[in-house]
Amino acid sequence: MPVDTDIAPDPRVDALEPSWGQQPETGDRCIDLTPRPGIDPGSELGIAWDIATLEMMVDPRLGDTANTFCDGAPVDAAPRPHGAANAFVRSVTLPTPNLRIDPGFALTGMPAYLVIDGQDDFSRSDDLAGWGALTVDFETVAFAVDWGDGTTTLVDDGRIGAPYDGDPTQQISHVYDQRGSDTEVVVTATWRAQWRVAGFSGAVEGLAIESRLALPVREYRAVRVAPDQ
């Protein structure tokens, strides 16, 4: 599961609200961008402001001016697709992990082997309003396994599990000490998305989805029977 270290996080933490302004020295019309603390650029309002800024940049009322943005506008004030792209990424439904432990129950004192299916990396494309073709690559990062008995396992080395007679390098196993009829295994899959649009790129970390598997844990004991007398 490779990690692209060349993608830097989006440094802008506040949405920028556009409005028409006037350059104090020349009187030329310009776009004034006001930071709004606490409003996520990826929110519905933040995205709407980004789109509005793009529309104002091509508005004939702006005229032929060298300074599109008003003096004192935030550094790097030009709109960027980060908010809209991140919002699209978070709107994509991640595949739910398919969990299996054969033969459908576990025995105390013996390894139970978990298999996780349906977590292949995938891509999505869409037309991002105001920006053009957006491509997003999703990749699994890790699986957090809660075995239901107070024990957890973090799998972040690419394993997806294998049955008891499968590839040992892929196996994800656990030994239960006590029986239980209502034991539930919970697997949380963590994903990472990398997007590209109009020469910009970014990443969204910490995407997650979980799945649950009911797993009765049985206990077999050897019983010594006296011979008939």
Side-chain angles (χ1 to χ4, degrees):
M1 301 177 185
V3 175
D4 186 350
T5 56
D6 293 333
I7 295 179
D10 181 10
R12 190 179 67 185
V13 295
D14 301 322
L16 300 176
E17 181 181 9
S19 61
W20 289 114
Q22 192 175 56
Q23 296 289 11
E25 297 294 330
T26 64
D28 291 336
R29 182 184 289 269
C30 57
I31 301 173
D32 189 24
L33 294 176
T34 305
R36 297 302 185 192
I39 298 181
D40 185 351
S43 67
E44 183 176 348
L45 182 57
I47 295 171
W49 284 344
D50 269 352
I51 295 174
T53 303
L54 286 170
E55 293 173 346
M56 293 169 70
M57 290 175 67
V58 297
D59 192 304
R61 289 176 292 176
L62 188 61
D64 185 16
T65 174
N67 297 317
T68 301
F69 299 99
C70 299
D71 291 346
V75 177
D76 194 18
R80 294 184 294 168
H82 292 66
N86 290 353
F88 173 80
V89 168
R90 296 188 183 280
S91 74
V92 174
T93 301
L94 297 172
T96 303
N98 297 320
L99 310 181
R100 174 167 56 91
I101 296 178
D102 294 332
F105 61 88
L107 295 176
T108 58
M110 299 184 66
Y113 295 93
L114 172 66
V115 178
I116 306 172
D117 292 324
Q119 296 294 280
D120 296 332
D121 299 348
F122 66 98
S123 298
R124 287 287 185 274
S125 298
D126 196 23
D127 184 65
L128 195 64
W131 296 99
L134 169 73
T135 301
V136 187
D137 297 322
F138 292 83
E139 61 181 1
T140 50
V141 175
F143 300 111
V145 183
D146 182 340
W147 295 98
D149 63 349
T151 304
T152 58
T153 301
L154 178 63
V155 182
D156 58 0
D157 55 6
R159 286 178 295 154
I160 59 173
Y164 75 96
D165 57 350
D167 183 355
T169 65
Q170 285 290 317
Q171 288 175 339
I172 304 171
S173 64
H174 177 65
V175 176
Y176 289 92
D177 295 328
Q178 297 181 347
R179 65 182 179 181
S181 60
D182 57 352
T183 303
E184 188 176 53
V185 178
V186 181
V187 173
T188 302
T190 303
W191 289 77
R192 181 175 192 265
Q194 299 183 65
W195 57 262
R196 302 177 301 280
V197 61
F200 292 88
S201 62
V204 179
E205 306 279 357
L207 304 169
I209 190 168
E210 74 172 29
S211 184
R212 297 171 178 267
L213 174 68
L215 184 72
V217 179
R218 301 174 181 174
E219 183 177 40
Y220 286 170
R221 294 182 180 180
V223 178
R224 189 171 184 178
V225 180
D228 295 337
Q229 295 185 4

